[in-house]
Amino acid sequence: MELALPSVPAATDDGDPARRNAPAIHRIDAAIEAMRRICSDLRPSLLDNMGLCAAIEWLAQDVQERAGIRCQVRLQGFTEEPTPDQGTAVFRIVQEAVTNAIRHANASTLRISQRLNGSGAIISVADDGRGIKPTELAGRKSFGIVGMHERAKGFGGRVSVSGGRRGTKVTILVPP
Ligand SMILES: Nc1ncnc2c1ncn2[C@@H]1O[C@H](COP(=O)(O)OP(=O)(O)OP(=O)(O)O)[C@@H](O)[C@H]1O
Ligand SMILES: [Mg+2]
């Protein structure tokens, strides 16, 4: 999939923090925009052809290249590929967790893992950023985290979001 990104403005060092940070902010905006576009046509092109684990690996690679955040991915694989609906829902949850890490965490590393749990699976996305506050978790003004819970409910799974001062971890329980 070819994604055209706008050109990145050159860094300036005239002492103005806003100007100094402009290239990094631009890069993050571009990564989020790229992810939105991937999201809109993801189902047919990526998940169907490659399966959930390969799609997650691709996402991590893309984030690493575009947002400059190191991504460590450890995926055990599934004995049986999740159903298309389940695969899409899980991928979108992972995608929202990754987008949140890029937007809010100021993280340098993301760890994405998947392991089998009986005949189900546990998938987690953990960042080493600023952490998420209880008030942010409880807040219902934005839809990302609420949407993760709703999507998981849709396939009989569960999402938990935990965080302290050392990063945030999103865990997805996929039932058998
Ligand atoms: N990985 C993270 N690290 C730090 N803070 C986070 C992280 N993920 C979420 N947050 C905080 O929790 C809030 C709620 O997240 P949520 O995804 O629901 O909303 P949002 O990202 O602000 O908006 P959107 O509706 O576009 O997803 C965020 O605004 C942010 O303050
Ligand atoms: Mg969000």
Side-chain angles (χ1 to χ4, degrees), residues 36-53:
R36 291 221 165 101
R37 275 179 283 151
I38 293 161
C39 193
S40 61
D41 75 346
L42 180 84
R43 177 75 238 164
S45 56
L46 209 64
L47 272 170
D48 279 344
N49 297 333
M50 298 160 67
L52 180 58
C53 286

Side-chain angles (χ1 to χ4, degrees), residues 96 100 103-104 144:
E96 173 60 20
N100 275 353
R103 284 175 68 191
H104 306 301

Side-chain angles (χ1 to χ4, degrees), residues 96 99-100 103-104 142-145 148:
E96 173 60 20
T99 304
N100 275 353
R103 284 175 68 191
H104 306 301
S142 35
F143 297 105
I145 293 174
M148 287 189 210

Side-chain angles (χ1 to χ4, degrees), residues 5 13 27 30 49 72 79 113:
L5 291 176
D13 194 11
R27 222 154 41 129
N49 297 333
Q72 296 178 350
T79 37
S113 77

Side-chain angles (χ1 to χ4, degrees), residues 38 90 102 119 141 148-149:
I38 293 161
V90 170
I102 296 171
S119 38
K141 275 179 290 174
M148 287 189 210
H149 290 299

Side-chain angles (χ1 to χ4, degrees), residues 85-157:
D85 283 355
Q86 206 174 45
T88 303
V90 170
F91 188 87
R92 294 264 160 93
I93 295 169
V94 171
Q95 197 166 36
E96 173 60 20
V98 168
T99 304
N100 275 353
I102 296 171
R103 284 175 68 191
H104 306 301
N106 195 24
S108 56
T109 304
L110 266 179
R111 288 190 177 81
I112 306 179
S113 77
Q114 175 267 337
R115 65 184 167 84
L116 295 173
N117 176 38
S119 38
I122 298 177
I123 299 165
S124 68
V125 179
D127 69 58
D128 64 350
R130 67 160 171 87
I132 187 166
K133 300 185 192 85
T135 47
E136 291 172 312
L137 276 174
R140 288 287 178 265
K141 275 179 290 174
S142 35
F143 297 105
I145 293 174
V146 174
M148 287 189 210
H149 290 299
E150 289 305 313
R151 282 190 201 280
K153 243 194 259 172
F155 61 79

